Amino acid sequence: MAPTFVITVILFPLETAVVAAIVWGATGLALLSIGLGRLQGVDPKPIVFEHLLVGAVVIVAAHLVGLGISSILA
């Protein structure tokens, strides 16, 4: 799935590509989480919420680390 994110960068300007990649990643994560919940025979909503929350935390953390590195190198 990771190489599909490159497509967004090729097709769109950078700001649009970032938003498209986030939407694409969240959609894939939600669909995989739904499948996982169904496979386990439980309600998938809490699993989807948990995985999307963790994904959002990872995105924010990666952004903050990038800002930190950028400020050190600038």
Side-chain angles (χ1 to χ4, degrees):
M1 176 143 180
T4 63
F5 291 97
V6 175
I7 295 169
T8 61
V9 176
I10 293 170
L11 294 178
F12 303 112
L14 186 57
E15 287 120 11
T16 307
V18 169
V19 173
I22 290 171
V23 170
W24 173 242
T27 301
L29 190 57
L31 291 173
L32 289 170
S33 298
I34 289 169
L36 179 64
R38 288 182 178 167
L39 187 66
Q40 293 177 345
V42 297
D43 182 21
K45 289 179 205 142
I47 297 171
V48 171
F49 177 76
E50 178 185 358
H51 290 167
L52 289 177
L53 180 64
V54 170
V57 169
V58 168
I59 290 171
V60 170
H63 180 70
L64 293 175
V65 168
L67 290 176
I69 291 171
S70 177
S71 70
I72 290 171
L73 297 178

